[in-house]
Amino acid sequence: MAYKKPESALVVLYDQHYRVLLLQRQDDPTFWQSVTGALEEGELPLETAYREVCEEIGIDAKAHGFVVNDHDKQNQYEIRSRWLHRYPPGTVHNTEHVFSLQINSDLPLALTEHLQYEWVSKDEALARLWSPSNKEAVSLFVPSVP
């Protein structure tokens, strides 16, 4: 197995009603999150954001005319011990690039890496998300209901 690069993209998705998309992880059903994934070799963080949205929920954002917003924000966090084996030996921190994307929730989603999804209010998302950096991204970059 090839090791993951300890650099990732986090993409907070919200819809036309300002509801946040939450995804339930297969390997930890208590863990709800936004779209996220490691950068591949030679890939820019924005490219990763578009790729991961397509891979994880089956939406080709560019084909639909949706624009991923780059917030020029990076977080560094300690990788959960249960996932350290996925990274090069001695790696304990990941650098996360933060993005957001508004999509139409009427589009069908095709999950490939998660058990289920839910569209929830911003407040509910903040209460259910596990990752502090994911909570912060929702808080900062999902608009409040007008």
Side-chain angles (χ1 to χ4, degrees):
M1 171 179 123
Y3 290 121
K4 286 186 173 200
K5 183 176 182 177
E7 187 175 9
S8 63
L10 170 68
V11 187
V12 173
L13 287 99
Y14 61 97
D15 72 0
Q16 66 275 21
H17 309 290
Y18 304 98
R19 296 178 302 173
V20 179
L21 179 65
L22 295 185
L23 303 168
Q24 184 182 34
R25 289 187 67 99
Q26 286 183 5
D27 62 355
D28 183 352
T30 65
F31 193 112
W32 288 81
Q33 65 182 35
S34 295
V35 168
T36 187
L39 274 68
E40 293 181 351
E41 193 62 40
E43 194 173 49
L44 297 173
L46 183 60
E47 294 169 328
T48 303
Y50 278 104
R51 177 180 54 76
E52 288 292 338
V53 168
C54 192
E55 286 180 3
E56 292 189 12
I57 65 169
I59 300 289
D60 183 338
K62 288 182 182 179
H64 287 282
F66 301 139
V67 177
V68 171
N69 299 298
D70 183 346
H71 296 290
D72 196 29
K73 177 170 178 45
Q74 293 81 40
N75 299 310
Q76 189 165 49
Y77 63 85
E78 191 170 327
I79 299 167
R80 288 177 82 184
S81 60
R82 67 186 299 171
W83 296 330
L84 286 173
H85 69 280
R86 299 175 181 172
Y87 297 89
T91 302
V92 294
H93 290 97
N94 185 72
T95 299
E96 172 183 78
H97 301 269
V98 181
F99 302 90
S100 66
L101 173 63
Q102 184 176 20
I103 66 169
N104 185 331
S105 58
D106 296 331
L107 291 172
L109 303 185
L111 300 183
T112 58
E113 301 177 17
H114 297 88
L115 295 174
Q116 64 178 328
Y117 69 90
E118 292 183 30
W119 288 103
V120 302
S121 70
K122 184 175 178 176
D123 287 341
E124 185 173 345
L126 293 171
R128 291 177 58 189
L129 288 165
W130 181 88
S131 162
S133 66
N134 202 160
K135 287 182 183 190
E136 179 188 45
V138 167
S139 179
L140 291 174
F141 304 121
V142 174
S144 296
V145 177

